[in-house]
Amino acid sequence: MSSSPPPASRTRVLPREEGLVRAEHLMRRALEIARAAPAGDVPVGAVLFGPDGCELATGTNRREADRDPTAHAEMLAIRRGVEKHGDSWRLTGCTLVVTLEPCTMCAGAVLGARVGELIFGAFEPKTGACGSLIDAVRAPGQLHRPAVRAGVLETECAGLLEDFFGSLR
């Protein structure tokens, strides 16, 4: 008899770990998008996935490039995703993955679009509206409350921002 370990297909991942593995996989895609941000824009990436797990839309910060204060990565991904999703303006069952904690405007868009799940990487203590400065997505009285997973690949996400701001000094 062989005492070799069971094949990988038989190894069971615990549900919590399974969720984290999924979140990290999705965040790697958001990091890829963030690295493609236009020069001069803060490298934040957002990816919207449909209920089936397929990528619907992406967005990077484009405030400087577009001269538009609302051109945050999340806003652009939500706008583009609504066009493809097919349920009017509702993104029910969709997952938004973003490398930086959303601000108040973007958290409001997540709520307004009825995004089912929000996954973010780095915390933003100055403007974060998902637990750092305020917690708009879990505030009492909200008509919609997305599931939130915070701090996914936080070190990598924060490192991208630190490199960007370090290059400005």
Side-chain angles (χ1 to χ4, degrees):
M1 279 199 152
S2 169
S3 62
S4 61
S9 62
R10 287 188 177 167
T11 332
R12 178 75 177 119
V13 178
L14 300 174
R16 179 175 162 80
E17 292 172 345
E18 190 174 85
L20 183 58
V21 168
R22 173 185 164 269
E24 287 178 350
H25 174 74
L26 299 177
M27 186 60 72
R28 289 188 202 295
R29 177 66 177 136
L31 280 163
E32 182 182 327
I33 297 301
R35 290 184 186 100
D41 271 297
V42 179
V44 175
V47 184
L48 183 69
F49 295 92
D52 61 358
C54 290
E55 185 175 312
L56 289 175
T58 64
T60 63
N61 272 2
R62 297 190 52 87
R63 290 188 323 170
E64 299 298 329
D66 294 353
R67 297 180 178 180
D68 178 356
T70 69
H72 289 203
E74 303 94 320
M75 299 295 285
L76 298 175
I78 288 170
R79 287 178 192 150
R80 293 170 182 156
V82 164
E83 293 173 10
K84 291 184 180 178
H85 184 53
D87 187 14
S88 183
W89 50 268
R90 292 172 191 83
L91 295 173
T92 308
C94 293
T95 299
L96 181 66
V97 182
V98 62
T99 57
L100 182 65
E101 180 181 1
C103 68
T104 305
M105 174 181 68
C106 294
V110 166
L111 293 172
R114 306 279 194 323
V115 172
E117 179 183 23
L118 170 66
I119 299 170
F120 72 85
F123 289 88
E124 174 45 277
K126 294 180 182 176
T127 62
C130 298
S132 289
L133 179 64
I134 63 171
D135 198 348
V137 296
R138 290 176 284 229
Q142 292 294 353
L143 296 176
H144 171 74
R145 287 193 187 194
V148 177
R149 183 181 288 262
V152 176
L153 298 181
E154 181 180 4
T155 302
E156 292 90 327
C157 293
L160 191 59
L161 297 165
E162 290 165 4
D163 290 347
F164 173 78
F165 288 110
S167 72
L168 298 179
R169 294 183 181 117

